[in-house]
Amino acid sequence: MTPSCHPFPPPGTPQQRPRTSAASHDWWRSAVVYQVYIRSFADGNGDGIGDIAGLRNRLPYLVELGVDALWLNPWYPSPMADGGYDVSDYRSIDPAFGTLEEAESMMKEAHELGLRVFLDIVPNHTSDQHHWFREALAAGPGSTARDRYVFRTGRGSGGSLPPNNWRSSFGGPAWVRVTEPDGTPGQWYLHLFAPEQPDLNWENAEVRREFEDVLRFWFDIGVDGIRIDVAHGLVKEEGLPDLGHSDIERIGMAADGGHPHWDREGVHAIFRGWRAVANSYEEPRVFVAEAWMGAPDRLARYVRPDELHTAFNFDYLTAPWRADHLREAIDTNLVAFRAVGAPGTWVLSNHDVARHVSRYGRPQPDEPVRALSDFLKDTPFDLELGTRRARAAALLTLALPGGSYIYQGEELGLWEIENLPEELLQDPTWMRSGGTDRGRDGCRVPIPWSGDCPPFGYSPPAATAEPWLPQPTAWKKLTVQAQRGDEKSMLELYRKALHLRRAHPALGDGTMAWDSTAQEEVLSFTREPGFRCVVNLSEHQIALPDHTDVLLSSAPIHGGCLQSDTAVWLTR
């Protein structure tokens, strides 16, 4: 006997807007971009570290998957104090990853395959091994070289105390005292992240010119777009005032631009200059901002017509698997971005947060979770539940108006590796927190390609070096080889969804209309022409609404009912 379904109410009235094709001049408004964390994508030379050679070999996989572009995390020369986000040379390639010639060849091959390429730029700070910073240390107080960074004299007797009470995002104080060229204790430099990442002074005209030149360097080679790390940083309040009594309380003021080093008004002039550089090319280049904001209207200011093109929606990423939170994150972003003519940009996971299979496979909190690694601690994990919800989330995300980003391995259903041996952890958060925060290594484990045991085709067959982080043996069921052709697999779900998304005229950029009478724990919306997405987040099954055909579902549909934690694409 088929269980009864809760009835589905009639649809609402959709609003129409023509779709902008990913192949058009404004391709970025609809594009699906695949994030390549290069160290963990594919190892071409057998040293255990992913590289350009490995990426070149796997470009056909990305084409087969159906994405429009790829975004590479930093591949510049770096001491790797923070996974490459401590850059020592912005115009070259780290030898661990390959050469500049290989990078140019890779980009040419990607373009020939119809893939565009985004790079990561890190403008808030350099490595302490950058030649500018070495010059600053050697030059001494008051020098032109030091003015490129944020150096200050300390407080207290003999300047022995930090200039203010700012804290590093990785834990601990945000200041390091240097030894001057004459051997005496001297000034302090600011590092909002690791001590090996000194903050640049963006009031300095030379710093601004340098980064515009760096953009031109990569755009001239053929890079199509840039992801901007810590786009809400860069500018600091004059006088560098102390934070309030509570860091959390003071950070909350970022929602109105009141924080002394996040979301300062001055960043917008910088990005208007960058947009002018991007627009100077025959095919304008594109930016996407990593900017953690306190309010969607603040984020929308970064994507005004003369600034950046897109920005990640982190409210959506941090929302629990609950209909009310997801709908609010969707609505507030679309309203704010539509007001400035920008598309939404949706993301479920990335290299800085726990994988969403592991987040969704736990009891869901009542509020959004910013400290995602803390959320995993001492919380029971249900892999089957997390995978089921992740499948539904994929269809929800790819049906929303705008573009999307896929973090490598999410199309395989990979989960967060939470039990990496402590001696192998490399994220600076682990050391800076005194061993209380395991950091981000768990989402950066090399992805599995083939075979029944590690390294699962990540390295060449004859390689003797172990992957830089170990893979769990349980991933043998999640390799690309194991999932390819399996209609029930996560990989095939993504592949079908991406190809349908590209083919269906309703999907990509545009608008959506909620079904206003849908049940409380059901997300249902229509897009024109003739498309509907329904996601059942309730604990019971529901009846499908009237439809012509089922395009794709995240789990089997029985008796016309949509099961709990399931999404479906329908034609109307």
Side-chain angles (χ1 to χ4, degrees):
M1 180 177 177
T2 301
S4 61
C5 298
H6 289 245
F8 199 96
T13 303
Q15 298 178 355
Q16 296 189 30
R17 175 179 168 184
R19 180 193 180 193
T20 302
S21 168
S24 74
H25 186 68
D26 290 338
W27 60 271
W28 46 273
R29 298 186 68 92
S30 296
V32 177
V33 183
Y34 188 95
Q35 180 187 353
V36 173
Y37 191 75
I38 192 166
R39 289 175 64 86
S40 300
F41 187 65
D43 169 20
N45 63 9
D47 64 358
I49 297 174
D51 49 34
I52 296 171
L55 171 59
R56 292 173 70 179
N57 291 335
R58 300 296 185 178
L59 288 176
Y61 167 77
L62 299 182
V63 175
E64 177 188 86
L65 186 61
V67 298
D68 301 297
L70 61 111
W71 152 37
L72 285 148
N73 290 98
W75 58 1
Y76 315 106
S78 168
M80 298 294 167
D82 181 24
Y85 283 88
D86 49 318
V87 179
S88 57
D89 182 353
Y90 289 86
R91 294 178 178 83
S92 189
I93 304 293
D94 193 286
F97 302 137
T99 66
L100 188 58
E101 290 74 20
E102 286 182 285
E104 293 185 63
S105 295
M106 184 279 296
M107 286 187 278
K108 180 180 179 181
E109 291 167 10
H111 289 156
E112 290 172 348
L113 291 169
L115 294 169
R116 289 179 167 88
V117 179
F118 281 71
L119 296 188
D120 219 315
I121 198 77
V122 188
N124 183 72
H125 45 262
T126 71
S127 165
D128 62 355
Q129 299 305 304
H130 193 284
H131 73 93
W132 271 8
F133 193 71
R134 294 199 302 268
E135 290 170 9
L137 293 180
S143 63
T144 300
R146 283 212 178 170
D147 191 57
R148 298 167 178 153
Y149 292 90
V150 183
F151 278 86
R152 294 292 186 274
T153 300
R155 298 189 290 196
S157 176
S160 60
L161 299 177
N164 64 28
N165 68 351
W166 292 3
R167 307 288 293 175
S168 163
S169 295
F170 291 155
W175 294 92
V176 167
R177 196 175 194 186
V178 304
T179 300
E180 299 298 352
D182 63 3
T184 61
Q187 289 187 307
W188 299 70
Y189 70 84
L190 177 68
H191 62 91
L192 291 178
F193 293 89
E196 297 88 353
Q197 295 170 296
D199 276 49
L200 288 160
N201 172 24
W202 275 87
E203 302 301 327
N204 183 295
E206 186 180 3
V207 171
R208 298 194 181 210
R209 289 194 301 270
E210 168 67 5
F211 275 86
E212 290 187 2
D213 286 345
V214 167
L215 293 177
R216 291 188 185 94
F217 175 85
W218 291 107
F219 290 159
D220 288 346
I221 287 175
V223 168
D224 302 284
I226 295 287
R227 178 261 191 188
I228 305 170
D229 185 62
V230 195
H232 59 302
L234 283 63
V235 175
K236 282 70 176 176
E237 183 175 349
E238 185 176 358
L240 309 185
D242 278 345
L243 290 165
H245 294 298
S246 166
D247 284 352
I248 295 175
E249 176 185 353
R250 188 69 168 128
I251 287 172
M253 295 182 68
D256 62 7
H259 195 277
H261 60 72
W262 297 139
D263 190 28
R264 303 293 306 168
E265 184 63 29
V267 300
H268 298 287
I270 295 169
F271 295 142
R272 283 192 289 272
W274 287 22
R275 181 62 175 262
V277 173
N279 287 349
S280 69
Y281 288 80
E282 183 176 355
E283 181 178 356
R285 305 318 197 229
V286 177
F287 295 110
V288 58
E290 182 218 24
W292 293 86
M293 290 290 116
D297 61 326
R298 297 294 303 181
L299 182 60
R301 300 173 80 245
Y302 287 73
V303 290
R304 290 176 289 194
D306 62 343
E307 294 188 39
L308 307 177
H309 300 76
T310 60
F312 297 126
N313 183 355
F314 291 130
D315 289 342
Y316 181 74
L317 183 153
T318 59
W321 184 249
R322 289 178 41 177
D324 54 345
H325 284 277
L326 288 167
R327 178 165 177 164
E328 180 181 6
I330 293 166
D331 280 346
T332 55
N333 181 271
L334 288 177
V335 169
F337 276 38
R338 193 172 295 132
V340 295
T345 305
W346 314 98
V347 57
L348 291 168
S349 286
N350 63 35
H351 66 294
D352 282 333
V353 301
R355 288 188 177 273
H356 59 275
V357 166
S358 294
R359 303 194 322 261
Y360 290 156
R362 288 172 154 85
Q364 295 300 284
D366 294 329
E367 298 295 335
V369 181
R370 173 64 179 91
L372 295 170
S373 59
D374 291 342
F375 171 57
L376 303 184
K377 292 179 181 177
D378 303 319
T379 310
F381 172 47
D382 184 332
L383 174 59
E384 182 179 355
L385 178 63
T387 301
R388 184 179 183 90
R389 288 173 170 173
R391 290 174 64 91
L395 294 195
L396 169 62
T397 302
L398 294 173
L400 293 172
S404 297
Y405 278 71
I406 294 172
Y407 178 46
Q408 65 178 43
E410 76 173 69
E411 81 280 11
L412 304 177
L414 302 187
W415 58 84
E416 184 83 359
I417 306 305
E418 302 174 41
N419 60 349
L420 289 170
E422 292 182 0
E423 64 271 17
L424 297 181
L425 296 177
Q426 300 186 33
D427 191 331
T429 302
W430 170 246
M431 295 300 295
R432 297 280 293 172
S433 68
T436 61
D437 188 335
R438 293 180 65 85
R440 301 159 294 178
D441 290 323
C443 66
R444 300 176 176 183
V445 174
I447 66 174
W449 292 94
S450 60
D452 294 327
C453 59
F456 296 119
Y458 162 75
S459 295
T464 57
E466 297 290 332
W468 72 283
L469 287 174
Q471 304 152 306
T473 56
W475 275 4
K476 68 179 181 180
K477 298 179 180 179
L478 300 183
T479 66
V480 173
Q481 182 184 56
Q483 294 194 52
R484 183 176 277 141
D486 179 356
E487 296 297 314
K488 298 179 180 179
S489 71
M490 184 76 83
L491 176 60
E492 290 302 321
L493 177 73
Y494 267 80
R495 189 184 65 80
K496 290 176 183 176
L498 288 166
H499 285 267
L500 280 169
R501 188 181 189 276
R502 178 173 289 182
H504 201 293
L507 298 179
D509 194 22
T511 61
M512 58 180 278
W514 294 107
D515 293 331
S516 60
T517 56
Q519 298 160 41
E520 186 175 352
E521 286 298 312
V522 175
L523 296 176
S524 175
F525 58 90
T526 55
R527 302 194 62 189
E528 292 301 319
F531 175 89
R532 183 197 300 274
C533 177
V534 184
V535 188
N536 181 12
L537 292 90
S538 71
E539 296 181 355
H540 51 71
Q541 58 187 358
I542 62 170
L544 289 178
D546 291 338
H547 62 278
T548 304
D549 195 14
V550 174
L551 293 173
L552 187 61
S553 62
S554 63
I557 296 173
H558 302 294
C561 290
L562 192 66
Q563 306 301 311
S564 178
D565 295 319
T566 302
V568 64
W569 288 0
L570 305 170
T571 57
R572 298 163 40 245

